[in-house]
Amino acid sequence: MLSIQDMFVFCKKKGFVFPDSEIYGGLAGFWDYGPLGIELKRNIINEWWQRFVHEREDIVGIDGAIITNPKVWEASGHVDHFLDVLVECGKCNYRVKAESLIEDFLGIRAEGLKPEDFDRLIKENKIRCPKCKGEFKKARFLQLMFETSVGPVDGVKSYLRPETAQLIFINFRNVVETSRVKLPFGIAQVGKAFRNEISPRDFLFRAREFEQMEIEYFVHPDRLDECSYFDEVKDMEVNVLTAKMQEAGVKEAKKMRVADLVTERIATKWHAYWIALAYKWFVDLGINPKNLRLREHLHSELAHYAGACIDIEYRFPFGWKEIYGNADRKQFDLQQHSNYSKKELCLYDQATKQKVVPYVAAEPSQGVDRTFLAFLFDAYSYDKKRGNVVLKLHPRLAPIKVAVFPLLSNKPELIKKAREVYTTLKSHFNCFYDQSGSIGRRYARQDEIGTPFCVTIDFDSLKQNDVTVRDRDTTKQTRVKIDDLAGWIGKHLK
Amino acid sequence: MLSIQDMFVFCKKKGFVFPDSEIYGGLAGFWDYGPLGIELKRNIINEWWQRFVHEREDIVGIDGAIITNPKVWEASGHVDHFLDVLVECGKCNYRVKAESLIEDFLGIRAEGLKPEDFDRLIKENKIRCPKCKGEFKKARFLQLMFETSVGPVDGVKSYLRPETAQLIFINFRNVVETSRVKLPFGIAQVGKAFRNEISPRDFLFRAREFEQMEIEYFVHPDRLDECSYFDEVKDMEVNVLTAKMQEAGVKEAKKMRVADLVTERIATKWHAYWIALAYKWFVDLGINPKNLRLREHLHSELAHYAGACIDIEYRFPFGWKEIYGNADRKQFDLQQHSNYSKKELCLYDQATKQKVVPYVAAEPSQGVDRTFLAFLFDAYSYDKKRGNVVLKLHPRLAPIKVAVFPLLSNKPELIKKAREVYTTLKSHFNCFYDQSGSIGRRYARQDEIGTPFCVTIDFDSLKQNDVTVRDRDTTKQTRVKIDDLAGWIGKHLK
């Protein structure tokens, strides 16, 4: 399997992702998407919005600001609790996130530990600075939010949002009053978030600026197990690493039915339903299920307000890592903002004729950049026979859908016909025209960037008004009439 | 015409836009898009990307980070020159952007004036504080960029990008090396930008957080007038207010052919071509040309490096205001970044067999939020006969494409059929199902949010398997077979 460093090299070389401000030496934890990367990212976001907003009756979208009134982050607990633990070498001042240090040295999960826990672990295991072998100073908390100041001269101290979720909660009342939603329903959002990570690492995986796709799903607090959609997913099989298994030292996930998550009290029906939908979304868009697993959070990992939290993890070259999290957040956030703002954040439930503070039964949340990375790793393959990389992205995710080639680049009549075909297809799909190099080289270039179809115009095309369509994954060639071509491709992109 | 305040009220009431963090009293200059607003905004961005990236062979996209190495903003001149002039009342400390104060008091354009110019104007015209009638202190410069600090403890002082353009220039080399582009070509980007405005105002028009859609279009410096696409636009008619007309005190724009912009030396062919394309984009998506005009910048308004700059202005209730700007930026930015970074930012031009620093012949740049506002103002109308607002958005921009109603809400057989139709349409278009209230009331609700088609299922539908499709703008009703419905609507959304 490709290492994360190899993946970065591939992404840069092909124009998927560049280091931000590289000509100035870059800035750690920031990345720019290149011409192919932005297409893949847009396709990911559009597939998500289509599936979870447009095709559903119970979800509406919003798009909140990145900078918001700082009271939002006081109420949510971020100002006091959204902290990382830093350790610093007493000799060379090397600074590292305590969690990363411990995970690298001891290979154990260190999320959520306190400064004193890290001090103890460092002492017990005689961990020294990896740069100079010096001793570490006492661990301490650091604020993870980026600060800024809003307004001229002595502005208001505010923050760049460290997550998109709170923008949903603070808009809850406005959405309810304008959208005629009724319980159960969800609010979706896609957008950037910022965390001043001590140690950004693993390419896009842990960046300081990143993008999230999130839903807060609200249900009646007395009806947590009345999920009318549950039958759609109950028999789906998923790989699961339960809290119990982790406590017993089990490393390999086991297969379970989604219904078992409920009977084994790992998740409520609503919670299990939403996790199943995300799992299915990844699989439908091409991720091999053997590289996916659910991981139930241990009780010690849970935020004090959370009823349960389940991640979807992807098997990266640097281990199984979270690409999606889904917490049962209870009524915590709405109650918290209601207390802080002195505004009533509830709704009148027609069905029960009650005013209720809705319960967040599920919070499907995934990083766009991590999703991007998982799709790339899963699609990447080297074909020995062809002698080139084949990026087997789902056709709906592929940055370029069709490449159009004249068979020979020195025959004006082939070029003329190829240009006509290209121009027609361009209004339907993102296309690429190429007449340079051998046809084999041109196929290889498209394989490497995941283009599902290559259309070649040859001398027969001039007589028969048809083309060869070559399939990326099978290399199978099909003859298609030019008049039917856009329709044929449209059908095969699904 | 609706005032900007009325438009805000309308947007809030219908769920297009909410004041950010309203439950905490908001934060001046920040706005959140609601369920309908995010759909309209997504449609605007998608239409732009489709037209200017996917349908073109000479444009590729990127997506740069919001926070970048601060050297970018030193090189670009923003650290030293991206300043606003503040005036502050000596008595009550009221602070206002000098430009806004002067424009409000004197009704003259005050962009680009220096503190001493403002001091003189304030003195000459005896302008006092509008709050307390106190005297203003000396005007002074203020940095417009939001600052933040990157990295733990003593981090690097950096900025939130005040424009997206620089991210294109600093990625120029990586794009050229990975994308096989050749001159002339452009790089496009859509994304957020931030300006710590002294006086945010006019709703979305001047916000502190906003979104831009931008292209930098690179040509060979010796071939500024070799625009092979020019014939496509040369005979287009546009409304223009030239610099000369402004200097002569003329207020009304005059009609000109795009070709005249070139012959009258207002723009180069490339510059004129790109401006014409944007004008056409607005008009194709429904803006009435009588509400659009080009305004050539006066020589005194131009940045020192710019060859020319032409805006597209929209007739807002608060005056003709910029919704799009397009500067001829010469070779300034690439040369500047090349000098600062000591990296060669040029490309080898196959056609002339030369290494050249490309010339930015056009920089089409428009605010997403201002575009959003212009489309809403242009679409808003009150229909006296119907007694309700009709939002005549272009069908491709409309947040919801189709609403589906059973004629009567107490007939299970109508509801059943209507639900079937709704479910089928939902996988194709963003749809809304509604069975509450009279049919007239349901039509009115959809008119107000711009839904182009309402589909009603009545008793004939059960027998004939057809429906009534009602057109928002004409109220004309057409009978369409259910089997043909998705196709019929798809065709009429174009």
Side-chain angles (χ1 to χ4, degrees):
Chain A
M1 195 188 193
L2 218 60
S3 74
I4 186 79
Q5 178 59 22
D6 294 338
M7 179 53 85
F8 158 66
V9 171
F10 172 78
C11 280
K12 185 175 174 216
K13 185 176 158 200
K14 291 292 159 189
F16 281 95
V17 182
F18 308 128
D20 172 64
S21 52
E22 194 186 24
I23 59 171
Y24 292 108
L27 188 63
F30 297 89
W31 302 94
D32 293 345
Y33 283 79
L36 295 178
I38 178 60
E39 296 298 339
L40 174 53
K41 186 161 97 160
R42 279 173 57 88
N43 291 341
I44 289 170
I45 293 171
N46 286 341
E47 286 296 325
W48 188 88
W49 197 266
Q50 171 68 17
R51 175 79 63 95
F52 296 118
V53 184
H54 285 180
E55 289 181 14
R56 293 191 69 99
E57 197 169 359
D58 57 346
I59 309 264
V60 295
I62 67 154
D63 182 29
I66 287 170
I67 298 177
T68 188
N69 191 308
K71 286 183 190 142
V72 173
W73 309 110
E74 291 165 22
S76 67
H78 283 80
V79 170
D80 289 337
H81 303 297
F82 197 61
L83 310 166
D84 251 357
V85 180
L86 170 86
V87 286
E88 185 172 354
C89 172
K91 202 168 142 199
C92 76
N93 295 322
Y94 170 68
R95 289 173 183 135
V96 61
K97 184 173 167 179
E99 188 185 320
S100 308
L101 182 80
I102 294 302
E103 290 185 357
D104 288 355
F105 263 83
L106 305 180
I108 60 168
R109 196 173 281 278
E111 214 176 305
L113 295 186
K114 297 207 160 42
E116 50 271 30
D117 302 325
F118 286 111
D119 288 340
R120 189 178 42 77
L121 284 169
I122 288 170
K123 203 173 159 198
E124 283 176 7
N125 295 283
K126 302 192 173 62
I127 300 171
R128 295 295 194 104
C129 170
K131 302 282 174 195
C132 79
K133 304 289 163 203
E135 263 186 65
F136 282 112
K137 297 197 269 190
K138 271 198 181 309
R140 62 188 165 115
F141 281 122
L142 265 194
Q143 176 53 260
L144 258 176
M145 290 193 287
F146 282 99
E147 288 177 12
T148 193
S149 172
V150 177
V153 208
D154 43 3
V156 177
K157 176 172 153 183
S158 193
Y159 306 94
L160 306 196
R161 64 180 182 195
E163 61 168 38
T164 50
Q166 297 304 322
L167 275 292
I168 295 179
F169 298 122
I170 62 169
N171 277 296
F172 177 81
R173 203 166 70 152
N174 274 330
V175 171
V176 166
E177 283 173 2
T178 58
S179 305
R180 308 171 78 224
V181 287
K182 49 183 200 288
L183 293 176
F185 75 94
I187 303 176
Q189 187 179 208
V190 177
K192 290 250 175 130
F194 297 79
R195 295 180 187 178
N196 200 359
E197 295 283 349
I198 297 167
S199 315
R201 52 148 85 182
D202 295 326
F203 187 30
L204 297 174
F205 186 80
R206 191 172 297 282
R208 285 171 167 156
E209 176 173 340
F210 56 99
E211 199 151 1
Q212 295 188 306
M213 307 191 278
E214 241 176 13
I215 297 167
E216 301 294 336
Y217 200 81
F218 302 97
V219 307
H220 193 293
D222 300 339
R223 300 171 157 213
L224 287 185
D225 268 319
E226 292 174 30
C227 170
S228 59
Y229 309 112
F230 192 69
D231 281 356
E232 295 171 18
V233 300
K234 70 177 172 27
D235 294 322
M236 246 182 79
E237 273 202 338
V238 286
N239 305 319
V240 187
L241 196 65
T242 64
K244 268 190 201 148
M245 290 164 72
Q246 292 165 74
E247 280 156 0
V250 177
K251 301 277 179 211
E252 285 292 308
K254 65 173 177 184
K255 277 210 188 322
M256 290 175 77
R257 286 163 63 246
V258 169
D260 300 333
L261 296 175
V262 178
T263 49
E264 296 197 14
R265 307 184 71 85
I266 293 167
T268 63
K269 274 192 183 172
W270 274 115
H271 199 189
Y273 166 70
W274 274 105
I275 291 159
L277 286 196
Y279 200 93
K280 186 170 182 311
W281 183 82
F282 282 114
V283 173
D284 287 351
L285 288 171
I287 299 260
N288 187 331
K290 82 174 174 25
N291 294 326
L292 289 179
R293 72 178 190 191
L294 305 185
R295 190 182 72 78
E296 182 188 9
H297 279 215
L298 300 174
H299 190 74
S300 60
E301 291 176 81
L302 291 179
H304 62 94
Y305 53 79
C309 187
I310 296 174
D311 288 345
I312 296 178
E313 296 186 331
Y314 180 77
R315 192 204 306 254
F316 284 107
F318 47 102
W320 286 97
K321 297 282 175 185
E322 178 198 343
I323 54 173
Y324 165 99
N326 190 327
D328 171 332
R329 292 180 77 107
K330 304 186 185 172
Q331 293 159 298
F332 177 76
D333 304 272
L334 289 179
Q335 275 169 344
Q336 196 72 1
H337 284 296
S338 185
N339 292 342
Y340 258 71
S341 67
K342 314 283 179 224
K343 302 281 190 306
E344 210 173 31
L345 301 182
C346 59
L347 57 68
Y348 181 78
D349 182 46
Q350 290 286 353
T352 53
K353 311 240 181 278
Q354 284 175 318
K355 226 169 171 184
V356 294
V357 177
Y359 184 111
V360 176
E363 185 196 41
S365 171
Q366 69 191 87
V368 176
D369 315 86
R370 291 183 179 189
T371 300
F372 178 98
L373 211 48
F375 279 126
L376 279 182
F377 271 112
D378 228 75
Y380 189 97
S381 69
Y382 185 83
D383 187 307
K384 278 190 197 146
K385 210 170 128 203
R386 296 187 221 178
N388 62 253
V389 168
V390 183
L391 199 61
K392 297 186 174 178
L393 287 170
H394 191 289
R396 287 209 304 270
L397 296 180
I400 292 169
K401 307 303 186 193
V402 200
V404 180
F405 312 144
L407 181 65
L408 302 170
S409 53
N410 57 355
K411 299 286 172 189
E413 63 275 35
L414 292 185
I415 289 174
K416 182 166 171 278
K417 192 77 180 173
R419 295 293 307 172
E420 280 171 27
V421 171
Y422 169 74
T423 306
T424 309
L425 293 181
K426 192 107 185 112
S427 63
H428 299 278
F429 316 108
N430 199 24
C431 297
F432 190 80
Y433 174 81
D434 191 1
Q435 62 177 58
S436 71
S438 73
I439 197 81
R441 187 66 208 106
R442 283 181 268 165
Y443 281 150
R445 270 185 215 130
Q446 297 306 317
D447 284 349
E448 285 167 0
I449 63 171
T451 307
F453 302 109
C454 291
V455 167
T456 302
I457 284 79
D458 54 26
F459 291 103
D460 287 343
S461 303
L462 304 180
K463 283 176 260 166
Q464 296 159 210
N465 211 37
D466 60 6
V467 297
T468 295
V469 183
R470 180 258 200 186
D471 181 276
R472 175 195 67 199
D473 299 341
T474 62
T475 73
K476 205 186 121 193
Q477 307 205 348
T478 311
R479 215 60 200 176
V480 179
K481 288 281 171 202
I482 290 173
D483 293 341
D484 305 334
L485 189 57
W488 190 95
I489 292 167
K491 215 176 72 189
H492 286 79
L493 286 176
K494 292 210 174 120
Chain B
M1 194 184 193
L2 217 59
S3 75
I4 185 78
Q5 177 59 23
D6 294 338
M7 180 53 86
F8 158 66
V9 171
F10 172 78
C11 281
K12 184 174 175 217
K13 186 175 157 199
K14 291 292 160 190
F16 280 94
V17 182
F18 307 128
D20 172 64
S21 52
E22 194 186 25
I23 60 171
Y24 292 108
L27 187 63
F30 297 90
W31 302 93
D32 293 344
Y33 284 79
L36 295 178
I38 178 59
E39 296 297 338
L40 174 54
K41 186 160 98 160
R42 279 173 57 89
N43 292 341
I44 289 170
I45 293 171
N46 287 339
E47 286 296 325
W48 189 88
W49 197 265
Q50 170 68 18
R51 176 80 63 97
F52 296 118
V53 184
H54 285 180
E55 289 181 16
R56 293 191 69 98
E57 197 171 358
D58 56 346
I59 309 263
V60 295
I62 66 155
D63 181 29
I66 287 170
I67 297 177
T68 189
N69 191 308
K71 286 183 188 142
V72 172
W73 309 110
E74 291 165 22
S76 67
H78 282 80
V79 169
D80 289 338
H81 303 297
F82 197 62
L83 310 166
D84 251 357
V85 180
L86 170 87
V87 286
E88 186 173 350
C89 172
K91 198 169 145 201
C92 75
N93 296 320
Y94 170 69
R95 291 173 183 134
V96 61
K97 184 175 169 178
E99 187 184 322
S100 308
L101 181 80
I102 294 303
E103 290 184 359
D104 288 355
F105 264 82
L106 305 180
I108 61 168
R109 197 174 281 277
E111 214 176 305
L113 296 186
K114 296 209 161 38
E116 50 271 32
D117 302 325
F118 286 113
D119 287 339
R120 188 177 43 78
L121 283 169
I122 288 171
K123 202 173 160 196
E124 282 176 8
N125 295 284
K126 301 192 173 63
I127 299 172
R128 295 295 194 105
C129 170
K131 302 284 175 194
C132 79
K133 304 288 164 206
E135 264 186 65
F136 282 113
K137 296 196 269 190
K138 270 198 182 311
R140 62 188 165 116
F141 281 123
L142 264 195
Q143 176 53 258
L144 257 176
M145 290 194 288
F146 282 100
E147 288 177 12
T148 193
S149 173
V150 177
V153 206
D154 41 4
V156 177
K157 175 173 154 181
S158 192
Y159 306 93
L160 306 196
R161 64 181 182 194
E163 61 169 36
T164 51
Q166 297 304 323
L167 275 291
I168 294 179
F169 298 121
I170 61 168
N171 277 295
F172 177 81
R173 201 166 73 150
N174 274 328
V175 171
V176 166
E177 284 174 1
T178 59
S179 304
R180 309 171 79 225
V181 287
K182 50 183 200 289
L183 292 176
F185 75 94
I187 302 177
Q189 187 178 210
V190 177
K192 290 250 173 130
F194 297 79
R195 295 180 187 178
N196 199 0
E197 295 282 351
I198 298 167
S199 315
R201 53 149 89 183
D202 295 326
F203 187 30
L204 297 174
F205 186 80
R206 192 171 297 281
R208 286 171 166 155
E209 175 174 341
F210 57 99
E211 200 152 1
Q212 294 186 307
M213 308 191 278
E214 241 175 12
I215 297 167
E216 300 295 336
Y217 199 81
F218 303 97
V219 308
H220 193 292
D222 300 339
R223 302 171 155 211
L224 287 185
D225 268 318
E226 292 175 29
C227 171
S228 59
Y229 309 113
F230 192 68
D231 280 357
E232 295 171 20
V233 300
K234 70 177 170 27
D235 294 321
M236 244 181 79
E237 273 203 337
V238 286
N239 305 319
V240 187
L241 196 65
T242 66
K244 268 189 201 150
M245 289 163 72
Q246 293 165 72
E247 280 155 3
V250 177
K251 300 277 180 212
E252 286 290 309
K254 65 173 176 183
K255 277 211 188 319
M256 290 175 77
R257 286 165 61 248
V258 170
D260 300 333
L261 296 174
V262 177
T263 49
E264 297 196 14
R265 307 184 71 85
I266 292 167
T268 64
K269 274 193 183 168
W270 274 116
H271 199 191
Y273 166 69
W274 275 105
I275 291 159
L277 286 197
Y279 200 92
K280 186 170 181 313
W281 183 83
F282 282 113
V283 173
D284 287 352
L285 288 171
I287 299 260
N288 188 331
K290 80 173 176 23
N291 294 326
L292 288 179
R293 72 178 190 191
L294 306 185
R295 190 182 71 80
E296 181 188 12
H297 278 216
L298 302 173
H299 190 73
S300 59
E301 290 176 83
L302 291 179
H304 62 94
Y305 52 79
C309 187
I310 297 174
D311 289 344
I312 297 178
E313 295 186 330
Y314 180 78
R315 190 204 307 255
F316 285 107
F318 46 102
W320 286 97
K321 297 283 175 185
E322 178 198 343
I323 54 172
Y324 166 101
N326 190 329
D328 172 332
R329 293 181 77 105
K330 304 187 185 172
Q331 294 159 297
F332 176 77
D333 303 272
L334 289 179
Q335 275 168 344
Q336 196 73 359
H337 284 296
S338 186
N339 292 343
Y340 257 71
S341 67
K342 314 285 180 221
K343 303 283 190 307
E344 212 173 29
L345 301 182
C346 59
L347 56 69
Y348 181 78
D349 182 46
Q350 290 286 353
T352 53
K353 308 238 180 284
Q354 285 176 319
K355 226 170 170 183
V356 294
V357 177
Y359 184 112
V360 175
E363 183 195 43
S365 171
Q366 70 192 87
V368 176
D369 316 270
R370 290 182 179 188
T371 300
F372 179 98
L373 211 47
F375 279 125
L376 279 182
F377 271 110
D378 227 75
Y380 189 98
S381 69
Y382 185 82
D383 188 307
K384 278 190 199 147
K385 210 170 128 204
R386 297 188 222 180
N388 60 254
V389 168
V390 183
L391 199 62
K392 298 186 174 180
L393 287 170
H394 191 289
R396 287 209 304 271
L397 296 180
I400 293 168
K401 308 301 185 194
V402 200
V404 180
F405 312 144
L407 180 65
L408 302 170
S409 53
N410 57 356
K411 298 287 171 187
E413 63 274 36
L414 292 185
I415 290 175
K416 182 165 172 280
K417 193 79 179 172
R419 295 292 307 172
E420 280 170 27
V421 170
Y422 169 74
T423 306
T424 309
L425 293 180
K426 192 110 183 110
S427 63
H428 300 278
F429 315 109
N430 198 25
C431 297
F432 191 79
Y433 174 82
D434 192 0
Q435 63 177 58
S436 71
S438 73
I439 199 82
R441 187 66 208 108
R442 283 181 266 165
Y443 281 149
R445 271 185 214 130
Q446 297 306 318
D447 284 349
E448 285 167 359
I449 62 171
T451 306
F453 302 108
C454 291
V455 167
T456 301
I457 284 80
D458 54 26
F459 290 103
D460 286 343
S461 304
L462 305 180
K463 281 177 260 164
Q464 295 159 212
N465 211 38
D466 61 6
V467 297
T468 295
V469 184
R470 180 257 198 186
D471 181 279
R472 174 195 68 199
D473 298 340
T474 62
T475 75
K476 204 186 121 195
Q477 306 205 348
T478 311
R479 213 62 200 175
V480 180
K481 288 280 172 201
I482 290 174
D483 292 341
D484 305 332
L485 189 57
W488 190 95
I489 291 167
K491 214 176 73 192
H492 286 79
L493 287 175
K494 295 221 168 107

